[in-house]
Amino acid sequence: MTTAAAPARLGTRRSTMATTQSRMVADLITARTGVPIELEPITSFGDVTKAHLTQLGGTGVFVTALRDELAAGTVDFAVHSLKDLPTAPADGLVLAAIPERDDPRDALCARDGLKFADLPAGATVGTGSPRRVAQLAALRPDLAYVPIRGNAETRLGKVTSGELDAVVLAYAGLVRVGRVDDVTDVFEPEQVLPAPGQGALAVECRTERAAADLGYLASVDHAATRAAVTAERTVLAELEAGCAAPVGAHAQVLADGGLMLRAAVVATDGTAAVRRARAAAVDPDDAGAVAAAEGLGRALAREMIAAGADRIVAAAEAEAQGARP
Ligand SMILES: NCc1[nH]cc(CCC(=O)O)c1CC(=O)O
């Protein structure tokens, strides 16, 4: 139980990006509610293993350790990168707040200030994301895509050391670790659709506490972000795809209050793709906004499945299974 005097305990992974984003959320909560918060660093299996992400079954590994501490009551709430959260809800836990998202786009960090179009044929591009490889290979099949692991600093080091010509990372993550100056190009969603929920954070706590002593977490929820990421993640869920699947999705609240959702499923070799877009009248401030966003995501996913998207997802998952020891 958190007393009025004792600071609330916020569970966070130890990486620079995780602690920075947790501190961002903690400061926002304190600014809006006056509640003092202290960060409790937690080590996840994903942080200590050298295995490739696809061999670990996706980014769920980063999440499990934080959720164990929430269930045990050793921390009061946790901050995750939303895109790392499995779409299936966790028993006894709830996303009490989804703060306003940062820039969701993917970014290129290349040597010599090079833009994507200027990379020479055969240039090496490092990424651990099948979603990025699939979409980049469709744009530039003449480049060599190299699987990489590690935090943002480790990945950027492969470019400065000359091991790779470029790496691709999320713009939001680069901002949070103070490395936005390494960005040499940014991919618009029309070129490379981000991961569902990319750039957004999620504040998670035990369900019964969200409506009780942790009710103040709702103070940092951002309705337009919640509607957008709900639509994006519903596409992923409906496709029965994991966080490591070659699925991109991005939703935007339109000026007229509608919600425009775009999604793509692209074969990891860039040869086959299903891309669709659909809009719906979703007012983020309306009580039914989340349900309407789910309906939009479900409808778009079913349209994509009818065009063969599930077969591309299944092939990619089989390929990833084949890569796991
Ligand atoms: N698992 C890696 C991860 N999880 C969230 C982000 C980016 C930050 C965000 O999406 O909030 C990253 C790094 C990356 O994709 O470059």
Side-chain angles (χ1 to χ4, degrees), residues 226-266:
R226 185 179 283 268
V229 300
T230 296
E232 294 166 14
R233 286 170 54 82
T234 300
V235 173
L236 200 59
E238 199 66 20
L239 287 169
E240 296 179 7
C243 302
V247 179
H250 184 241
Q252 275 183 304
V253 177
L254 303 173
D256 65 4
L259 191 61
M260 167 60 77
L261 173 62
R262 292 183 177 84
V265 178
V266 184

Side-chain angles (χ1 to χ4, degrees), residues 13 17 21 53 58-60 62 80-85 101-107 127 129 131-132 149-152 155 168-174 176 195-202:
R13 287 177 52 206
M17 188 179 77
Q21 59 198 31
L53 211 46
T59 53
F62 297 119
H80 307 280
S81 290
L82 182 59
K83 83 166 189 177
D84 289 339
L85 285 184
R101 91 190 302 174
D102 291 319
D103 191 327
R105 295 176 297 172
D106 286 316
T127 174
S129 163
R131 171 190 59 82
R132 288 170 178 153
R149 277 281 287 136
N151 61 29
R155 297 174 187 223
V168 177
L169 293 159
Y171 191 89
L174 291 163
R176 291 170 193 158
Q198 184 159 296
L201 301 175

Side-chain angles (χ1 to χ4, degrees), residues 280-309:
V282 177
D283 175 356
D285 296 319
D286 185 278
V290 168
E294 285 171 346
L296 174 61
R298 200 169 299 117
L300 188 65
R302 287 176 181 167
E303 187 181 335
M304 297 176 75
I305 289 169

Side-chain angles (χ1 to χ4, degrees), residues 182-274:
D182 290 65
V183 173
T184 58
D185 206 347
V186 183
F187 298 101
E188 293 305 322
E190 291 71 26
Q191 294 174 283
V192 177
L193 274 170
Q198 184 159 296
L201 301 175
V203 183
E204 189 173 50
C205 71
R206 284 162 50 169
T207 304
E208 72 278 8
R209 299 188 66 186
D213 63 317
L214 296 182
Y216 60 80
L217 295 177
S219 68
V220 298
D221 193 58
H222 187 257
T225 298
R226 185 179 283 268
V229 300
T230 296
E232 294 166 14
R233 286 170 54 82
T234 300
V235 173
L236 200 59
E238 199 66 20
L239 287 169
E240 296 179 7
C243 302
V247 179
H250 184 241
Q252 275 183 304
V253 177
L254 303 173
D256 65 4
L259 191 61
M260 167 60 77
L261 173 62
R262 292 183 177 84
V265 178
V266 184
T268 42
D269 61 3
T271 55
V274 175

